Amino acid sequence: MKKLMFLFLLVIINSNNYGQWEYINSPNNINDLIILQSGKILAGTNQGLFTSLDMGTSWDSTSINTIVYKIKSDFVGNLYVASNSLFKSADQGLFWEECIDLYPDRIVDFSINDSNHIHLFAESNQALSVFRSKDFGTSWQVISNIFFYENSIAKAFRIANNSIGNTFISYRGYGYAPGGLWFDYRYLKRFNDQHPWLTVIEGKIILDFQFLSGVMYLATQGEGIYKSDDEGNTLILINSGLTTNNIKQIIASDEVFICLTDSGVFRSLNQGISWVSLDNTGLDLSTINRMYLSQEGRLFACTQSGIYVFTGELPVELISFTYKVYENNVILNWSTASELNNHGFEIQKKYFSGDWFTIGFKEGKGTSTNQSDYSYTDDISNINNSNLFYRLKQIDFDGTVSYSNTIEVDISGPKEFALYQNYPNPFNPVTTIKFALPFRTNSTINVYNTLGEKISEIFKGEMESGYHEVQFNATGLSSGIYFYKIESENFNSTKKMILMK
């Protein structure tokens, strides 16, 4: 069941993992799968390609009876299957034709770019090769051959294209060079028609990488997950919540990120900023070959014993939960991006040393894929305590409950003006600026570069007394030092912040 998630100050606070893995009747030794819009499953196995029209109840063999490593589709409806050869189907997998035979090499991975150009990444014992077809597999061009020493080992990992026409490969070659000197080459390289292969990253074993909205996400062995806004030249670790740095695969979508590690399957709802483990009960992690996320958001595991599907819902977006103090009221605001079977929210409060008690209820939207906004006002005119605590108790129609994080509210209010250091700092590209106003006043908050030029006006207007925060988005700005300044009738202050992309 899909559970609502809550966010306060950009921290995930509800990490319950509802759901479990269930086995789908399927052949053994599943290496990859794809699910078509019709619901048809194509599963690549060590024994060939199999199809199912009834979600695994029954399976049919196909004309492809050699080991299948990868299955993909292009943007006009053709299907492709990679083994030692590449096969193509123009009729949803009923008939297959061979596009290219690379025996004894094997096609480890292949990619299809926005122009439907196919790139193959193949390996033999001591060599790696990249082939390209611009006509749906009819003719091929060799765009790279990488040779290593005799008796060495060549490992191709991943090939992918970004939206601006560059092709990337990650690989490793290791062994003994003539004279007995050990070598171990680990590379991520980039290619386009204007430039030959350029080394982007050296020294890391990059088992998988993927592009989403111009950002590259890289899964490494031994170092965890990196993201890069500049095609791999600058790397930022995003390992928070992971229990291992050995990442085998990463899936990046607009709704949810998934990563397969040697200690479990993890998901992130905030584009990799933080990760939470799914319930991996029933899965033998050592037998998982690949994960697959369907267009409907269902997660599948391809394993040596068959196919498993995660039956719990994968929440699709973060939720906000904030407050403000206005005169004699605490105003709570929260939003849901989607809801499933949501009966509603109990609003609960407690004093510093007391027990939780319910002060109100807001009816939920049931099931909805639209953003829903909620607000509740608590009258505190007769309360003498300086600190109050609030939380939300979300209740499903079946009685299942989950709790938000606790918000602590200081109702005594600030006694003086203050501008606090932004957080995070350094940041990329969003940071939060917090400040305090002891009484209602007109204020402006601007951002300046090192030349003193104003580059952004974050806020201008009247604000109530209290603690406030605003966000600054530096998308489009270059890395460097910037200054933010608050000006009001009785106060002005400036602080430095660092944008690091």
Side-chain angles (χ1 to χ4, degrees):
M1 176 170 295
K2 182 178 293 182
K3 304 307 297 178
L4 301 173
M5 304 293 293
F6 297 90
L7 180 77
F8 180 60
L9 298 182
L10 302 181
V11 178
I12 292 179
I13 55 182
N14 182 352
S15 59
N16 293 326
N17 295 294
Y18 299 91
Q20 60 184 355
W21 291 95
E22 291 187 358
Y23 177 74
I24 294 178
N25 179 54
S26 54
N28 294 329
N29 301 310
I30 306 292
N31 298 313
D32 197 9
L33 66 84
I34 191 172
I35 301 178
L36 308 183
Q37 289 186 346
S38 63
K40 183 178 184 178
I41 303 177
L42 286 78
T45 78
N46 288 355
Q47 292 75 41
L49 181 70
F50 293 82
T51 63
S52 175
L53 299 175
D54 49 20
M55 287 303 294
T57 301
S58 60
W59 291 86
D60 294 315
S61 60
T62 68
S63 60
I64 302 175
N65 53 21
T66 59
I67 184 171
V68 172
Y69 301 110
K70 293 288 176 66
I71 311 171
K72 295 182 182 180
S73 62
D74 63 20
F75 296 98
V76 295
N78 296 311
L79 295 171
Y80 298 89
V81 166
S83 60
N84 297 105
S85 302
L86 184 75
F87 297 90
K88 170 186 169 184
S89 173
D91 56 8
Q92 301 289 289
L94 296 177
F95 174 77
W96 294 90
E97 61 175 321
E98 188 178 65
C99 297
I100 185 173
D101 183 1
L102 297 181
Y103 183 84
D105 295 2
R106 75 181 185 104
I107 303 171
V108 175
D109 194 19
F110 68 100
S111 64
I112 304 172
N113 67 14
D114 294 341
S115 300
N116 289 308
H117 296 170
I118 309 168
H119 292 78
L120 304 181
F121 196 15
E123 70 177 24
S124 61
N125 290 337
Q126 288 91 41
L128 304 173
S129 301
V130 179
F131 299 81
R132 179 174 63 188
S133 173
K134 296 183 177 182
D135 52 12
F136 301 97
T138 301
S139 60
W140 295 89
Q141 170 192 8
V142 179
I143 62 174
S144 179
N145 277 315
I146 305 170
F147 298 100
F148 300 100
Y149 300 109
E150 186 178 0
N151 299 321
S152 62
I153 297 175
K155 297 294 296 181
F157 296 130
R158 182 82 165 98
I159 186 169
N161 311 98
N162 65 6
S163 60
I164 62 174
N166 292 328
T167 301
F168 294 77
I169 57 173
S170 61
Y171 66 89
R172 181 186 184 190
Y174 59 96
Y176 288 99
L181 182 65
W182 175 262
F183 71 95
D184 191 347
Y185 301 141
R186 308 170 180 190
Y187 289 115
L188 176 76
K189 293 197 174 186
R190 180 181 67 228
F191 169 88
N192 59 43
D193 286 331
Q194 287 72 44
H195 302 282
W197 289 101
L198 298 175
T199 298
V200 180
I201 299 174
E202 183 176 0
K204 301 182 187 301
I205 299 178
I206 301 171
L207 298 180
D208 192 18
F209 58 90
Q210 186 174 340
F211 294 93
L212 179 68
S213 301
V215 180
M216 174 185 267
Y217 297 90
L218 305 103
T220 73
Q221 180 177 301
E223 297 184 35
I225 299 175
Y226 289 95
K227 79 169 188 176
S228 175
D229 298 315
D230 55 7
E231 297 189 325
N233 294 295
T234 304
L235 301 177
I236 301 172
L237 273 173
I238 48 173
N239 286 342
S240 178
L242 296 177
T243 58
T244 178
N245 289 329
N246 294 318
I247 316 299
K248 301 178 180 179
Q249 183 189 355
I250 185 167
I251 300 173
S253 72
D254 291 329
E255 293 82 16
V256 63
F257 281 23
I258 300 293
C259 72
L260 170 63
T261 78
D262 61 2
S263 66
V265 182
F266 292 75
R267 66 104 175 95
S268 171
L269 305 178
N270 52 11
Q271 297 186 319
I273 295 174
S274 57
W275 297 87
V276 176
S277 176
L278 296 180
D279 186 346
N280 296 303
T281 303
L283 278 181
D284 184 350
L285 299 174
S286 65
T287 70
I288 301 177
N289 295 317
R290 190 164 181 81
M291 309 299 299
Y292 173 76
L293 185 66
S294 72
Q295 293 182 348
E296 295 76 26
R298 302 189 72 191
L299 183 63
F300 296 81
C302 304
T303 79
Q304 294 177 19
S305 58
I307 301 172
Y308 290 80
V309 60
F310 189 74
T311 59
E313 296 287 342
L314 298 173
V316 296
E317 288 189 45
L318 294 175
I319 308 299
S320 65
F321 181 31
T322 60
Y323 74 92
K324 64 179 179 180
V325 179
Y326 180 73
E327 296 181 344
N328 291 319
N329 298 294
V330 173
I331 302 173
L332 303 172
N333 295 293
W334 66 98
S335 300
T336 66
S338 62
E339 300 179 16
L340 181 67
N341 299 323
N342 178 26
H343 173 51
F345 305 89
E346 286 185 5
I347 299 91
Q348 298 186 340
K349 180 171 74 174
K350 77 169 186 174
Y351 304 112
F352 181 75
S353 58
D355 296 325
W356 289 103
F357 60 96
T358 299
I359 60 174
F361 180 81
K362 285 288 183 176
E363 186 176 349
K365 297 299 190 296
T367 297
S368 171
T369 58
N370 299 320
Q371 177 171 318
S372 301
D373 301 315
Y374 300 87
S375 182
Y376 182 85
T377 300
D378 183 28
D379 184 351
I380 57 172
S381 56
N382 296 320
I383 296 176
N384 296 321
N385 299 67
S386 61
N387 291 80
L388 299 174
F389 301 86
Y390 295 89
R391 72 180 182 184
L392 301 173
K393 179 182 178 181
Q394 185 268 318
I395 307 172
D396 284 346
F397 284 113
D398 65 1
T400 303
V401 302
S402 60
Y403 293 91
S404 74
N405 194 24
T406 299
I407 292 179
E408 181 178 359
V409 179
D410 183 359
I411 62 175
S412 62
K415 300 298 187 292
E416 60 183 5
F417 289 97
L419 178 64
Y420 303 100
Q421 186 64 53
N422 66 299
Y423 61 90
N425 189 45
F427 68 99
N428 178 30
V430 178
T431 189
T432 299
I433 298 170
K434 187 174 181 180
F435 55 98
L437 304 176
F439 53 81
R440 181 189 299 182
T441 182
N442 287 303
S443 301
T444 61
I445 303 175
N446 297 317
V447 176
Y448 301 86
N449 60 23
T450 54
L451 299 177
E453 301 168 332
K454 184 172 76 173
I455 60 173
S456 178
E457 182 178 83
I458 302 177
F459 177 82
K460 182 178 182 180
E462 188 177 64
M463 274 194 175
E464 298 295 328
S465 63
Y467 296 96
H468 303 275
E469 58 183 47
V470 294
Q471 284 193 332
F472 173 58
N473 191 324
T475 299
L477 298 179
S478 58
S479 298
I481 296 174
Y482 296 87
F483 299 90
Y484 59 99
K485 182 178 183 180
I486 184 171
E487 296 179 274
S488 66
E489 300 169 6
N490 305 90
F491 175 74
N492 66 80
S493 179
T494 303
K495 289 189 177 294
K496 179 174 70 174
M497 58 184 175
I498 301 174
L499 172 62
M500 185 177 295
K501 291 187 174 181

